[in-house]
Amino acid sequence: MIKTITNSISKFFFIFFLRINFKKNFHTNFNDLNFKQNDFTNYKLIRHYIFKEKFIYNISISDIHTFNFLFYFQKIGGKKGVDLSKKNIFSWFNQYKFYKNFPWSNDYSSKRFINLIYNYDFICSNSSSKEIILLNYILNFHINRITFDNQKKLKENTSSYDLLSNVLINCIKKTNATKTLNEIKNIINAQVDENSVHKSYNILEHSKFLNNLNEIKNILLFFEIKIPRNLNNTILSMTSLLGTYMHNDLSLPLFNGCNNNHNTQIKKIIEKEQFLKNVIFKEFKNGIAVYKDISKTLFFDVVQHTGLGICKELSAGTLSVEISADNEKIITNCGGAEISGKNPSYLKYSAAHSTIIINNTNISQIGGIKENTNFPNQVKYEEKDNEDEALLSGTHNGYTRNYKKICKRELRLNKKKNLFQGEDTIISTKSSVDKIIYHIRFHLMPGISTTITKNKKNIIIKTKKNNIWMFKSDSEIMIEKSIYVNNDLAIETSQIVITGLTSSLKNKIQWSLEKI
């Protein structure tokens, strides 16, 4: 509390002094600093707002305040594109320059600064000396605010865009290189786990982090700073993982808000390091577990939340699975969207994932569009492997506080045929048994048709490629409507649902998915 008040007071005085004495350490050399690698800009989202009158004053769409729209104007090109860029930059700055929080909170200022720098030569190509001076002023203003704000951020709360802007600012200011390199090392150590996976456990965010590391590497080369070994090694290992974290159809696994909007850019990252092999985990304990063989793939969410800011966007999908085989995805999670600037909260709910849900409540508490406030404090994972099958097992205690229940999921994957077997167990932590409803959901990809057999315990699945699968359970099964988010559009699909009441201290539900 005291720290929050102190930070608020210090920011007040900092902004006050910016008003009266800004032009100290005024930098003017911003030419030839476009280090953009792969374009993760969501142009569909930009087209959604850019043609609206005075869109720059809309605070409900956070993407506006990153200045991603500058790349759209650059595509328009010519005098029109430059004039639209200048008009909206100057209008935005006149409105928001002395705001205390949004749009200077999170990493909005860092993204704005990067986008201004990367579009600087384009904008200056058709600008007067007076306009260039104002643009330089805006950039220097950002340098001052970013430097002040980022000094107060914990390293685990510092995004890769903050790191990228810090490195660029330090190089522009000719700050001691040792400080810059130590900052890069610290952020990597804080945000990349022992398997070289970004701790958001969202493969799209992993890819953006990796892309920004590549841009940082190019910045260091440009300013003739020796590339540290840990940066090169991290880039190589994170790139190798991208191939591992793809389904048979080359789509991404939809955990923790991930989407498939930028798969083309991700493939470019992989192709740049074309001789790398996919990583095989040997001592996996935490994250999104992977099983792969020549014909099938399974992803399994056993993420243990650490309480760090980098994990704030994790979804309530603990023990959820995604399954693909024969180059097509079958079982999925609903996915994430970017059109609103943040994933709608319902896409974070447990019900939007292929997992075990008790009493129609979330495994983790979701606070609207805010970060999750209460995750399972214990997620355990084990795996065993033999000649014929692999066994993956996960347990979480997310329902212990409210329902005194522990959930366990065991997955058996047959190595010689397309067969997935599961056993889901709901274990009571008290001696008396409360009858509580549970649902086990398996969201199906769009285009899949289903037929329930007479005993209501088997479902025949026909895929888009006309492959036939049989889903079986020892409990009755239903088919319900579901959605699948594709390119920010919610497409209607279906889901397999096993439902029942907890009637004993240990309730076991067995299911399987087999190609026939």
Side-chain angles (χ1 to χ4, degrees):
M1 183 67 178
I2 295 175
K3 186 176 181 180
T4 302
I5 295 171
T6 303
N7 287 342
S8 180
I9 293 172
S10 64
K11 181 174 282 191
F12 171 82
F13 282 107
F14 172 76
I15 294 173
F16 173 76
F17 285 118
L18 275 182
R19 288 177 181 267
I20 63 175
N21 185 29
F22 169 62
K23 290 197 176 183
K24 184 179 180 181
N25 298 325
F26 194 80
H27 302 278
T28 58
N29 185 13
F30 299 110
N31 298 102
D32 301 319
L33 295 179
N34 186 351
F35 301 98
K36 193 173 186 67
Q37 290 284 295
N38 296 284
D39 190 358
F40 286 92
T41 306
N42 189 327
Y43 290 100
K44 181 180 179 180
L45 171 58
I46 292 172
R47 287 192 292 271
H48 174 72
Y49 64 71
I50 203 167
F51 298 112
K52 296 179 180 178
E53 187 68 22
K54 297 181 180 179
F55 73 86
I56 208 73
Y57 303 113
N58 185 338
I59 62 172
S60 65
I61 302 176
S62 59
D63 188 79
I64 292 171
H65 304 276
T66 67
F67 283 12
N68 280 332
F69 60 80
L70 293 178
F71 293 106
Y72 189 91
F73 290 145
Q74 189 173 143
K75 286 182 179 292
I76 292 174
K79 186 176 185 299
K80 182 179 180 181
V82 173
D83 287 346
L84 286 169
S85 297
K86 290 185 293 189
K87 172 189 172 183
N88 287 285
I89 291 169
F90 298 155
S91 297
W92 183 95
F93 189 67
N94 186 58
Q95 173 71 21
Y96 297 108
K97 61 178 177 284
F98 293 124
Y99 275 40
K100 185 178 176 183
N101 296 309
F102 183 86
W104 295 93
S105 55
N106 298 327
D107 59 3
Y108 298 127
S109 51
S110 292
K111 289 178 177 176
R112 269 196 313 275
F113 175 75
I114 294 163
N115 290 338
L116 283 167
I117 290 288
Y118 286 1
N119 286 276
Y120 183 83
D121 292 333
F122 166 70
I123 297 168
C124 291
S125 66
N126 198 355
S127 298
S128 65
S129 298
K130 185 177 179 180
E131 289 170 329
I132 293 173
I133 289 171
L134 177 55
L135 185 59
N136 288 344
Y137 179 90
I138 293 170
L139 282 166
N140 279 276
F141 192 95
H142 274 76
I143 287 173
N144 279 273
R145 287 211 64 165
I146 290 168
T147 301
F148 175 84
D149 289 333
N150 285 356
Q151 284 175 346
K152 297 182 179 299
K153 285 185 179 180
L154 298 173
K155 56 183 179 295
E156 59 268 13
N157 295 337
T158 302
S159 79
S160 60
Y161 293 96
D162 290 329
L163 177 61
L164 177 57
S165 68
N166 286 348
V167 170
L168 194 48
I169 288 169
N170 288 343
C171 290
I172 291 168
K173 293 167 68 174
K174 299 180 179 179
T175 304
N176 186 289
T178 302
K179 176 184 176 183
T180 301
L181 297 179
N182 284 336
E183 185 174 2
I184 295 169
K185 179 182 177 181
N186 290 337
I187 297 300
I188 289 174
N189 289 342
Q191 299 195 16
V192 179
D193 73 11
E194 63 275 9
N195 294 311
S196 299
V197 182
H198 188 250
K199 290 182 180 178
S200 62
Y201 298 106
N202 172 330
I203 300 306
L204 176 57
E205 291 304 313
H206 173 102
S207 303
K208 290 179 180 179
F209 188 95
L210 173 57
N211 182 71
N212 288 342
L213 290 185
N214 277 313
E215 292 185 8
I216 287 169
K217 182 178 177 178
N218 286 345
I219 291 170
L220 298 180
L221 287 170
F222 181 82
F223 286 94
E224 299 181 344
I225 298 173
K226 185 178 179 180
I227 309 299
R229 182 182 296 178
N230 74 305
L231 177 57
N232 273 328
N233 290 343
T234 301
I235 288 172
L236 289 173
S237 57
M238 291 186 76
T239 305
S240 297
L241 275 168
L242 287 180
T244 301
Y245 278 104
M246 281 187 169
H247 277 286
N248 298 54
D249 61 358
L250 303 182
S251 65
L252 300 182
L254 301 180
F255 296 89
N256 301 313
C258 185
N259 63 65
N260 282 296
N261 294 356
H262 306 282
N263 287 9
T264 301
Q265 302 303 321
I266 294 171
K267 288 172 187 175
K268 287 180 181 178
I269 295 175
I270 297 172
E271 289 166 1
K272 186 177 179 182
E273 304 289 350
Q274 55 183 314
F275 299 109
L276 289 177
K277 293 183 179 180
N278 293 351
V279 173
I280 299 175
F281 300 126
K282 292 183 179 179
E283 295 292 336
F284 183 90
K285 293 296 181 185
N286 178 47
I288 306 297
V290 184
Y291 171 84
K292 278 197 169 190
D293 62 31
I294 195 168
S295 64
K296 58 186 176 291
T297 298
L298 179 140
F299 295 101
F300 186 26
D301 182 347
V302 284
V303 176
Q304 174 65 70
H305 189 266
T306 61
L308 302 177
I310 194 65
C311 301
K312 66 182 180 181
E313 294 297 335
L314 291 180
S315 298
T318 309
L319 302 190
S320 60
V321 295
E322 289 201 342
I323 296 173
S324 61
D326 294 336
N327 297 317
E328 58 182 342
K329 190 176 177 184
I330 303 167
I331 305 297
T332 185
N333 296 313
C334 291
E338 297 176 334
I339 199 68
S340 63
K342 274 202 170 183
N343 295 328
S345 59
Y346 66 86
L347 293 176
K348 289 184 174 184
Y349 290 172
S350 299
H353 296 78
S354 296
T355 191
I356 311 159
I357 301 118
I358 293 179
N359 202 30
N360 287 310
T361 58
N362 292 316
I363 297 165
S364 308
Q365 290 181 8
I366 306 289
I369 63 171
K370 298 180 182 179
E371 64 184 67
N372 300 9
T373 56
N374 182 32
F375 285 87
N377 57 29
Q378 191 173 73
V379 180
K380 293 183 178 180
Y381 174 75
E382 294 180 356
E383 61 182 50
K384 295 178 182 178
D385 193 77
N386 59 49
E387 185 179 346
D388 297 322
E389 66 179 10
L391 173 64
L392 314 182
S393 176
T395 306
H396 77 78
N397 67 346
Y399 288 120
T400 304
R401 177 183 296 180
N402 293 333
Y403 303 108
K404 309 301 180 187
K405 304 293 183 185
I406 291 173
C407 293
K408 181 178 181 180
R409 169 164 278 181
E410 289 188 347
L411 304 166
R412 292 183 181 274
L413 299 101
N414 191 298
K415 293 184 177 181
K416 297 181 180 179
K417 57 183 178 179
N418 282 337
L419 171 62
F420 303 84
Q421 294 173 294
E423 182 178 88
D424 295 338
T425 308
I426 302 170
I427 305 163
S428 178
T429 62
K430 62 179 184 178
S431 57
S432 59
V433 177
D434 294 327
K435 290 190 175 183
I436 301 174
I437 192 169
Y438 64 82
H439 296 83
I440 304 173
R441 302 182 182 275
F442 301 88
H443 298 271
L444 298 172
M445 287 292 289
I448 288 179
S449 61
T450 58
T451 303
I452 301 181
T453 59
K454 287 184 178 181
N455 65 4
K456 296 184 179 180
K457 292 185 178 181
N458 301 331
I459 293 180
I460 300 170
I461 295 172
K462 184 178 180 181
T463 70
K464 291 179 72 174
K465 292 186 176 182
N466 294 319
N467 290 315
I468 306 298
W469 292 75
M470 179 72 77
F471 185 96
K472 297 180 179 180
S473 173
D474 60 357
S475 301
E476 286 195 1
I477 311 173
M478 299 182 295
I479 295 292
E480 295 183 358
K481 289 183 178 180
S482 179
I483 63 165
Y484 175 79
V485 180
N486 182 43
N487 197 22
D488 294 329
L489 292 176
I491 301 171
E492 186 173 304
T493 182
S494 57
Q495 59 179 306
I496 297 169
V497 183
I498 303 170
T499 186
L501 292 172
T502 56
S503 56
S504 62
L505 294 177
K506 184 180 287 188
N507 294 265
K508 289 187 177 182
I509 305 95
Q510 294 183 332
W511 54 268
S512 66
L513 178 67
E514 183 176 11
K515 188 176 181 182
I516 58 175

